[in-house]
Amino acid sequence: MSKAGAYGLPRYPTKKQRKSRKRKWKLALLITLLILALLFVYFQRNVTRVLISISEATMRASTTIAVNDAVYYTLSDEMRYEDLVTITRDSEGNVTGVAANPLKLNKIARDTASISQSNLKNLSLNGIPVPLGALTGIEAFAGLGPNIHFRIIPVSSVTCDFSSVFESVGINQTKHSIYLNVIADISIVMPSRTENFAVVTEILVGESVIVGEIPNTFLQSDIFGNKPNL
């Protein structure tokens, strides 16, 4: 309200006063926008980096849990090495062929990938717990304060393949190990940034000592066509 002037009439602000008020409002707006811009830059450079680091560590731990649970349900206690591999011998007992069971191995790979991806989705429904100190953008304070659950969107894709290793353990004795390799490609999607990384889990699914001479062609590679681990 304008103050009363002489004879009780209202006194309106002068043109100079109106211009002064407009300049103050513009200055206040400019300062506010500048502060918001600085906060945005700070968030981009510091807070987002800390949030990505915490999210990646959390997702790596969650991926390990998801894969281990999937393997627990996929691989039964009754599964034997002979269910995965067929060994053929000649009349003298020498090994002439080592062949994988594709139907059994494909089912293991398919079920493990499907269950792992489903587990990852369920584990990320509640968001990622981030300590309040992480919002300061200072790594020293990243683990301090109560947890705040952020709905950071993790996008995952899980694939599986097999590898095997032949290892000499004695005269005419070769240990054959079969591994299931679970590869989880994770993308953490945030409004300002997307981080991609992979989590690879190697699981021993079958192992046996083969007695008898094995052709060098098997020792130089595995039954899945991969190079052996040296």
Side-chain angles (χ1 to χ4, degrees):
M1 294 180 61
S2 57
K3 295 181 179 179
Y7 307 105
L9 297 176
R11 185 172 61 186
Y12 295 98
T14 63
K15 185 176 182 180
K16 184 177 180 180
Q17 289 175 331
R18 289 197 297 270
K19 287 184 177 180
S20 177
R21 289 180 180 179
K22 286 183 179 180
R23 283 196 297 267
K24 290 180 179 178
W25 277 108
K26 288 181 180 179
L27 181 60
L29 180 60
L30 182 61
I31 293 174
T32 302
L33 292 176
L34 181 60
I35 293 175
L36 290 176
L38 291 175
L39 288 175
F40 178 78
V41 172
Y42 180 80
F43 185 87
Q44 285 283 89
R45 292 185 176 181
N46 298 279
V47 179
T48 299
R49 175 173 51 83
V50 175
L51 288 178
I52 285 291
S53 298
I54 294 175
S55 301
E56 180 175 342
T58 302
M59 286 306 301
R60 285 185 182 276
S62 297
T63 300
T64 301
I65 295 173
V67 171
N68 288 338
D69 287 346
V71 171
Y72 175 80
Y73 285 108
T74 303
L75 301 179
S76 63
D77 295 335
E78 294 80 13
M79 185 176 297
R80 301 174 302 168
Y81 172 84
E82 291 76 13
D83 298 327
L84 307 175
V85 174
T86 300
I87 299 175
T88 56
R89 302 176 182 270
D90 59 18
S91 58
E92 298 180 355
N94 296 318
V95 176
T96 58
V98 180
N101 183 343
L103 294 178
K104 188 69 173 180
L105 294 176
N106 286 338
K107 185 178 186 305
I108 293 173
R110 183 180 64 251
D111 292 348
T112 301
S114 176
I115 297 174
S116 295
Q117 192 153 339
S118 178
N119 289 345
L120 272 174
K121 182 179 179 181
N122 293 333
L123 287 172
S124 62
L125 287 178
N126 295 328
I128 295 177
V130 177
L132 186 61
L135 300 182
T136 62
I138 302 174
E139 292 187 357
F141 299 154
L144 301 179
N147 287 334
I148 301 175
H149 285 76
F150 275 79
R151 293 302 300 273
I152 298 173
I153 306 172
V155 180
S156 60
S157 174
V158 182
T159 57
C160 298
D161 63 17
F162 288 89
S163 62
S164 67
V165 177
F166 291 92
E167 179 184 359
S168 177
V169 293
I171 300 176
N172 285 342
Q173 292 185 344
T174 304
K175 182 173 69 174
H176 183 208
S177 305
I178 301 175
Y179 296 94
L180 171 64
N181 305 307
V182 184
I183 303 100
D185 293 312
I186 310 294
S187 296
I188 298 177
V189 182
M190 297 182 66
S192 56
R193 182 177 169 185
T194 299
E195 186 76 11
N196 303 308
F197 59 93
V199 179
V200 180
T201 307
E202 186 181 68
I203 300 159
L204 179 66
V205 296
E207 190 173 68
S208 179
V209 175
I210 303 173
V211 179
E213 185 178 354
I214 296 180
N216 289 330
T217 53
F218 290 105
L219 299 178
Q220 298 301 321
S221 183
D222 65 26
I223 60 176
F224 304 101
N226 303 316
K227 292 182 180 180
N229 297 324
L230 300 177

